[in-house]
PDB file of all heavy atoms in Angstrom:
ATOM      1  N   GLY A 137      11.016  43.231   4.602  1.00 93.00           N
ATOM      2  CA  GLY A 137      12.022  42.850   5.578  1.00 93.00           C
ATOM      3  C   GLY A 137      12.892  44.025   5.988  1.00 93.00           C
ATOM      4  O   GLY A 137      13.213  44.201   7.163  1.00 93.00           O
ATOM      5  N   VAL A 138      13.258  44.864   5.005  1.00 92.00           N
ATOM      6  CA  VAL A 138      14.058  46.064   5.298  1.00 92.00           C
ATOM      7  C   VAL A 138      13.263  47.020   6.188  1.00 92.00           C
ATOM      8  O   VAL A 138      13.801  47.622   7.127  1.00 92.00           O
ATOM      9  CB  VAL A 138      14.483  46.766   3.995  1.00 92.00           C
ATOM     10  CG1 VAL A 138      15.096  48.135   4.290  1.00 92.00           C
ATOM     11  CG2 VAL A 138      15.478  45.899   3.228  1.00 92.00           C
ATOM     12  N   LEU A 139      11.958  47.147   5.930  1.00 91.00           N
ATOM     13  CA  LEU A 139      11.111  48.015   6.756  1.00 91.00           C
ATOM     14  C   LEU A 139      11.063  47.512   8.202  1.00 91.00           C
ATOM     15  O   LEU A 139      10.991  48.313   9.138  1.00 91.00           O
ATOM     16  CB  LEU A 139       9.697  48.084   6.187  1.00 91.00           C
ATOM     17  CG  LEU A 139       9.532  48.839   4.861  1.00 91.00           C
ATOM     18  CD1 LEU A 139       8.074  48.820   4.417  1.00 91.00           C
ATOM     19  CD2 LEU A 139      10.031  50.271   4.976  1.00 91.00           C
ATOM     20  N   LEU A 140      11.105  46.200   8.392  1.00 89.00           N
ATOM     21  CA  LEU A 140      11.118  45.654   9.748  1.00 89.00           C
ATOM     22  C   LEU A 140      12.422  45.997  10.464  1.00 89.00           C
ATOM     23  O   LEU A 140      12.445  46.160  11.689  1.00 89.00           O
ATOM     24  CB  LEU A 140      10.933  44.138   9.717  1.00 89.00           C
ATOM     25  CG  LEU A 140       9.512  43.625   9.485  1.00 89.00           C
ATOM     26  CD1 LEU A 140       9.508  42.109   9.381  1.00 89.00           C
ATOM     27  CD2 LEU A 140       8.599  44.052  10.624  1.00 89.00           C
ATOM     28  N   ILE A 141      13.505  46.100   9.710  1.00 88.00           N
ATOM     29  CA  ILE A 141      14.807  46.414  10.297  1.00 88.00           C
ATOM     30  C   ILE A 141      14.862  47.876  10.739  1.00 88.00           C
ATOM     31  O   ILE A 141      15.458  48.208  11.766  1.00 88.00           O
ATOM     32  CB  ILE A 141      15.942  46.119   9.293  1.00 88.00           C
ATOM     33  CG1 ILE A 141      15.979  44.615   8.983  1.00 88.00           C
ATOM     34  CG2 ILE A 141      17.292  46.585   9.821  1.00 88.00           C
ATOM     35  CD1 ILE A 141      16.898  44.249   7.821  1.00 88.00           C
ATOM     36  N   LEU A 142      14.207  48.755   9.967  1.00 83.00           N
ATOM     37  CA  LEU A 142      14.268  50.188  10.243  1.00 83.00           C
ATOM     38  C   LEU A 142      13.444  50.562  11.478  1.00 83.00           C
ATOM     39  O   LEU A 142      12.395  49.961  11.726  1.00 83.00           O
ATOM     40  CB  LEU A 142      13.750  50.970   9.029  1.00 83.00           C
ATOM     41  CG  LEU A 142      14.530  50.787   7.721  1.00 83.00           C
ATOM     42  CD1 LEU A 142      13.828  51.541   6.600  1.00 83.00           C
ATOM     43  CD2 LEU A 142      15.969  51.271   7.881  1.00 83.00           C
ATOM     44  N   PRO A 143      13.897  51.555  12.240  1.00 78.00           N
ATOM     45  CA  PRO A 143      13.141  52.018  13.416  1.00 78.00           C
ATOM     46  C   PRO A 143      12.002  52.941  13.007  1.00 78.00           C
ATOM     47  O   PRO A 143      12.083  54.167  13.136  1.00 78.00           O
ATOM     48  CB  PRO A 143      14.210  52.759  14.234  1.00 78.00           C
ATOM     49  CG  PRO A 143      15.165  53.283  13.205  1.00 78.00           C
ATOM     50  CD  PRO A 143      15.192  52.258  12.093  1.00 78.00           C
ATOM     51  N   ILE A 144      10.922  52.384  12.496  1.00 72.00           N
ATOM     52  CA  ILE A 144       9.806  53.184  11.993  1.00 72.00           C
ATOM     53  C   ILE A 144       8.965  53.693  13.159  1.00 72.00           C
ATOM     54  O   ILE A 144       8.544  52.903  14.012  1.00 72.00           O
ATOM     55  CB  ILE A 144       8.932  52.351  11.036  1.00 72.00           C
ATOM     56  CG1 ILE A 144       9.774  51.826   9.870  1.00 72.00           C
ATOM     57  CG2 ILE A 144       7.763  53.180  10.511  1.00 72.00           C
ATOM     58  CD1 ILE A 144       9.037  50.867   8.980  1.00 72.00           C
ATOM     59  N   PRO A 145       8.689  54.999  13.214  1.00 63.00           N
ATOM     60  CA  PRO A 145       7.872  55.543  14.310  1.00 63.00           C
ATOM     61  C   PRO A 145       6.385  55.278  14.119  1.00 63.00           C
ATOM     62  O   PRO A 145       5.972  54.681  13.126  1.00 63.00           O
ATOM     63  CB  PRO A 145       8.188  57.045  14.238  1.00 63.00           C
ATOM     64  CG  PRO A 145       8.501  57.279  12.797  1.00 63.00           C
ATOM     65  CD  PRO A 145       9.199  56.025  12.304  1.00 63.00           C
ATOM     66  N   PHE A 146       5.593  55.746  15.076  1.00 58.00           N
ATOM     67  CA  PHE A 146       4.131  55.651  15.051  1.00 58.00           C
ATOM     68  C   PHE A 146       3.663  54.192  15.074  1.00 58.00           C
ATOM     69  O   PHE A 146       3.790  53.543  16.092  1.00 58.00           O
ATOM     70  CB  PHE A 146       3.549  56.405  13.842  1.00 58.00           C
ATOM     71  CG  PHE A 146       4.061  57.806  13.721  1.00 58.00           C
ATOM     72  CD1 PHE A 146       4.640  58.260  12.546  1.00 58.00           C
ATOM     73  CD2 PHE A 146       4.006  58.689  14.794  1.00 58.00           C
ATOM     74  CE1 PHE A 146       5.128  59.548  12.443  1.00 58.00           C
ATOM     75  CE2 PHE A 146       4.492  59.987  14.701  1.00 58.00           C
ATOM     76  CZ  PHE A 146       5.058  60.414  13.517  1.00 58.00           C
ATOM     77  N   LEU A 147       3.179  53.664  13.952  1.00 67.00           N
ATOM     78  CA  LEU A 147       2.674  52.292  13.923  1.00 67.00           C
ATOM     79  C   LEU A 147       3.787  51.253  13.990  1.00 67.00           C
ATOM     80  O   LEU A 147       3.527  50.076  14.197  1.00 67.00           O
ATOM     81  CB  LEU A 147       1.835  52.061  12.656  1.00 67.00           C
ATOM     82  CG  LEU A 147       0.508  52.815  12.587  1.00 67.00           C
ATOM     83  CD1 LEU A 147      -0.137  52.603  11.233  1.00 67.00           C
ATOM     84  CD2 LEU A 147      -0.425  52.366  13.698  1.00 67.00           C
ATOM     85  N   GLY A 148       5.016  51.700  13.798  1.00 71.00           N
ATOM     86  CA  GLY A 148       6.147  50.780  13.915  1.00 71.00           C
ATOM     87  C   GLY A 148       6.206  49.767  12.794  1.00 71.00           C
ATOM     88  O   GLY A 148       5.867  50.040  11.647  1.00 71.00           O
ATOM     89  N   ASN A 149       6.611  48.540  13.157  1.00 83.00           N
ATOM     90  CA  ASN A 149       6.864  47.495  12.172  1.00 83.00           C
ATOM     91  C   ASN A 149       5.668  46.566  11.962  1.00 83.00           C
ATOM     92  O   ASN A 149       5.777  45.576  11.232  1.00 83.00           O
ATOM     93  CB  ASN A 149       8.072  46.665  12.609  1.00 83.00           C
ATOM     94  CG  ASN A 149       9.271  47.526  12.942  1.00 83.00           C
ATOM     95  OD1 ASN A 149       9.600  47.734  14.112  1.00 83.00           O
ATOM     96  ND2 ASN A 149       9.922  48.052  11.916  1.00 83.00           N
ATOM     97  N   ILE A 150       4.553  46.876  12.594  1.00 87.00           N
ATOM     98  CA  ILE A 150       3.408  45.957  12.532  1.00 87.00           C
ATOM     99  C   ILE A 150       2.808  45.830  11.126  1.00 87.00           C
ATOM    100  O   ILE A 150       2.575  44.703  10.663  1.00 87.00           O
ATOM    101  CB  ILE A 150       2.331  46.376  13.558  1.00 87.00           C
ATOM    102  CG1 ILE A 150       2.887  46.192  14.978  1.00 87.00           C
ATOM    103  CG2 ILE A 150       1.056  45.566  13.376  1.00 87.00           C
ATOM    104  CD1 ILE A 150       1.952  46.663  16.075  1.00 87.00           C
ATOM    105  N   PRO A 151       2.543  46.926  10.382  1.00 90.00           N
ATOM    106  CA  PRO A 151       1.969  46.768   9.037  1.00 90.00           C
ATOM    107  C   PRO A 151       2.820  45.916   8.089  1.00 90.00           C
ATOM    108  O   PRO A 151       2.269  45.040   7.396  1.00 90.00           O
ATOM    109  CB  PRO A 151       1.826  48.214   8.542  1.00 90.00           C
ATOM    110  CG  PRO A 151       1.667  49.008   9.795  1.00 90.00           C
ATOM    111  CD  PRO A 151       2.590  48.348  10.785  1.00 90.00           C
ATOM    112  N   PRO A 152       4.167  46.119   8.008  1.00 92.00           N
ATOM    113  CA  PRO A 152       4.959  45.246   7.137  1.00 92.00           C
ATOM    114  C   PRO A 152       4.881  43.776   7.552  1.00 92.00           C
ATOM    115  O   PRO A 152       4.866  42.883   6.698  1.00 92.00           O
ATOM    116  CB  PRO A 152       6.392  45.780   7.297  1.00 92.00           C
ATOM    117  CG  PRO A 152       6.233  47.179   7.765  1.00 92.00           C
ATOM    118  CD  PRO A 152       4.998  47.191   8.598  1.00 92.00           C
ATOM    119  N   ALA A 153       4.809  43.537   8.863  1.00 90.00           N
ATOM    120  CA  ALA A 153       4.732  42.156   9.347  1.00 90.00           C
ATOM    121  C   ALA A 153       3.407  41.514   8.949  1.00 90.00           C
ATOM    122  O   ALA A 153       3.374  40.356   8.503  1.00 90.00           O
ATOM    123  CB  ALA A 153       4.900  42.129  10.865  1.00 90.00           C
ATOM    124  N   ILE A 154       2.311  42.263   9.091  1.00 89.00           N
ATOM    125  CA  ILE A 154       0.999  41.733   8.699  1.00 89.00           C
ATOM    126  C   ILE A 154       0.966  41.416   7.208  1.00 89.00           C
ATOM    127  O   ILE A 154       0.471  40.362   6.789  1.00 89.00           O
ATOM    128  CB  ILE A 154      -0.106  42.743   9.066  1.00 89.00           C
ATOM    129  CG1 ILE A 154      -0.242  42.851  10.592  1.00 89.00           C
ATOM    130  CG2 ILE A 154      -1.444  42.333   8.435  1.00 89.00           C
ATOM    131  CD1 ILE A 154      -1.200  43.922  11.057  1.00 89.00           C
ATOM    132  N   ALA A 155       1.512  42.328   6.399  1.00 92.00           N
ATOM    133  CA  ALA A 155       1.560  42.095   4.950  1.00 92.00           C
ATOM    134  C   ALA A 155       2.362  40.837   4.627  1.00 92.00           C
ATOM    135  O   ALA A 155       1.962  40.028   3.772  1.00 92.00           O
ATOM    136  CB  ALA A 155       2.180  43.307   4.251  1.00 92.00           C
TER     137      ALA A 155
END
Side-chain angles (χ1 to χ4, degrees):
V138 170
L139 290 180
L140 283 176
I141 296 170
L142 299 176
I144 302 173
F146 309 126
L147 292 174
N149 309 104
I150 294 176
I154 292 174

